[in-house]
Amino acid sequence: MPAPDDQHDVPALETRASFLLSQLGLQSAQRFTAALAPLGITPNRFGVLAHLARQEGRTQQELATALGLHRNSMVGLIDDLEARGLVERRRHPDDRRAYAIHLTPSAREVLAAGDRLADEQEEAMLGELSAEERAALIATLTRLVASAGYRAGVHPGLGSAH
Amino acid sequence: MPAPDDQHDVPALETRASFLLSQLGLQSAQRFTAALAPLGITPNRFGVLAHLARQEGRTQQELATALGLHRNSMVGLIDDLEARGLVERRRHPDDRRAYAIHLTPSAREVLAAGDRLADEQEEAMLGELSAEERAALIATLTRLVASAGYRAGVHPGLGSAH
DNA sequence: TATTGTTATACTCTATAACTATA
DNA sequence: TATAGTTATAGAGTATAACAATA
């Protein structure tokens, strides 16, 4: 049988930080998705709740802008969260076109539970590293995020900037 | 106007490595997608070519298994690459059910060009870091990938393991 | 005239099952 | 009976345009 012509002068993807980051980043997202599933929400929904928790009463448009997605997409996200009893659409006091989105007590429980799950995941992913290595990694990653021009805590996966 | 009730005792997503990795990883993937676009391929296709470059003549099934996706999905990928003149489906010498997939000279140019683009992206993303910081980052990420059980160079985004 | 929220539509990806031809 | 490749279909996710109510 003709042996396959092996060639080893090939792009070494696995030694590049950009590839490793992409690999680990997707893995991290997939794990978090699986961890949140029993709570009935996705990382996207969790991100909206977390953002709301910092300032309730925002309009859908404000939330969409803050999270970098289109207001059309926010409709479905809020529909979902409302159907699960995690947010309420109240009338906006100043603008009768807009809703003021508020968290329910149930949402605060979900946020706390998700936070615990994120802690467990952090432990599982970084378990091999020493405290110093963890600190160095987080410091470096934080610098890279800042230099990329992202606002802290805003994940690009929510939408692709409109 | 009623001030929104700010709350700052909230999950600190942005200080967790898992969140930062997810952010940077997706960013890295999006940049690479944009960089490869002028070449007419996506990171997925590039990954198939890169894998093929290490060992030509593989069957679609072997490629699918190696890259962690279903053979059904490989059909479309190979269709695409074949239509663009990047791979050829030759008859397999030992198994008349299977194809032996081979790269074209054009594919080797695409691989080289993509490799250059990946270098440029690495430079753009890590530009702020010193040589020591880069080395430390890559070493740490490599350990994390290994501990996660991935094979080097196999990206989980290609498919979700079947 | 511009903006908030909504709906409808289309397009991409992915997942699944079922079919054929070979083994 | 199992395997390689194919096809068809359905579902999730996302992007775009157009609409009604209000500013």
Side-chain angles (χ1 to χ4, degrees):
Chain A
M1 72 220 88
D5 39 330
D6 288 24
Q7 307 227 4
H8 287 287
D9 55 336
V10 148
L13 298 171
E14 61 273 17
T15 64
R16 290 201 178 97
S18 42
F19 184 81
L20 295 166
L21 285 169
S22 174
Q23 240 182 321
L24 289 165
L26 184 57
Q27 182 209 188
S28 176
Q30 288 174 339
R31 281 198 189 190
F32 196 46
T33 301
L36 286 180
L39 293 173
I41 58 167
T42 63
N44 280 12
R45 271 77 169 165
F46 189 77
V48 173
L49 293 183
H51 222 83
L52 260 179
R54 309 207 167 189
Q55 188 177 15
E56 285 201 70
R58 293 197 177 189
T59 68
Q60 297 182 187
Q61 171 71 322
E62 285 168 343
L63 278 171
T65 301
L67 293 169
L69 49 85
H70 197 276
R71 70 187 196 286
N72 296 9
S73 310
M74 187 57 68
V75 176
L77 287 177
I78 300 297
D79 281 352
D80 249 47
L81 293 171
E82 193 179 36
R84 294 178 190 282
L86 297 173
V87 303
E88 292 173 1
R89 279 192 242 239
R90 302 187 191 160
R91 294 314 317 183
H92 193 285
D94 302 334
D95 187 340
R96 288 168 48 194
R97 295 172 302 181
Y99 289 119
I101 311 298
H102 285 263
L103 295 178
T104 66
S106 175
R108 304 204 177 273
E109 291 173 24
V110 166
L111 278 166
D115 198 46
R116 281 192 298 274
L117 291 170
D119 275 341
E120 290 170 21
Q121 174 169 339
E122 186 85 354
E123 206 37 50
M125 282 191 72
L126 305 187
E128 282 211 349
L129 305 183
S130 70
E132 293 75 22
E133 286 171 317
R134 287 194 199 195
L137 175 63
I138 289 174
T140 299
L141 296 179
T142 302
R143 282 180 59 193
L144 293 180
V145 168
S147 80
Y150 284 120
R151 283 156 297 179
V154 177
H155 196 288
L158 265 170
S160 35
H162 298 283
Chain B
M1 73 220 88
D5 41 329
D6 288 23
Q7 307 228 4
H8 287 287
D9 55 336
V10 148
L13 298 170
E14 62 270 16
T15 64
R16 289 203 178 96
S18 42
F19 184 82
L20 295 165
L21 286 169
S22 175
Q23 240 182 322
L24 288 164
L26 183 56
Q27 181 208 187
S28 176
Q30 289 174 339
R31 281 199 189 189
F32 196 46
T33 301
L36 285 181
L39 293 173
I41 58 168
T42 62
N44 279 13
R45 272 78 169 166
F46 189 77
V48 174
L49 293 182
H51 222 84
L52 260 178
R54 310 206 168 189
Q55 188 176 15
E56 286 200 71
R58 292 197 178 188
T59 67
Q60 297 181 189
Q61 172 71 317
E62 286 168 343
L63 280 172
T65 300
L67 294 169
L69 49 85
H70 198 276
R71 69 192 140 81
N72 295 9
S73 309
M74 187 57 69
V75 177
L77 288 178
I78 300 297
D79 281 351
D80 248 47
L81 293 170
E82 193 178 36
R84 294 177 190 282
L86 298 173
V87 304
E88 291 173 2
R89 278 194 243 238
R90 302 187 193 160
R91 294 313 317 184
H92 193 283
D94 302 335
D95 188 337
R96 287 168 49 195
R97 295 171 302 180
Y99 289 119
I101 311 297
H102 285 264
L103 294 178
T104 65
S106 175
R108 303 202 177 276
E109 292 174 23
V110 167
L111 278 166
D115 199 45
R116 281 192 298 274
L117 291 171
D119 275 340
E120 291 171 20
Q121 174 170 339
E122 186 84 353
E123 207 35 50
M125 281 192 73
L126 306 187
E128 282 209 350
L129 304 183
S130 70
E132 293 76 21
E133 286 171 318
R134 287 196 200 195
L137 175 63
I138 289 175
T140 299
L141 295 179
T142 301
R143 281 179 60 194
L144 292 181
V145 168
S147 80
Y150 284 120
R151 284 156 295 180
V154 177
H155 195 289
L158 265 170
S160 35
H162 298 284

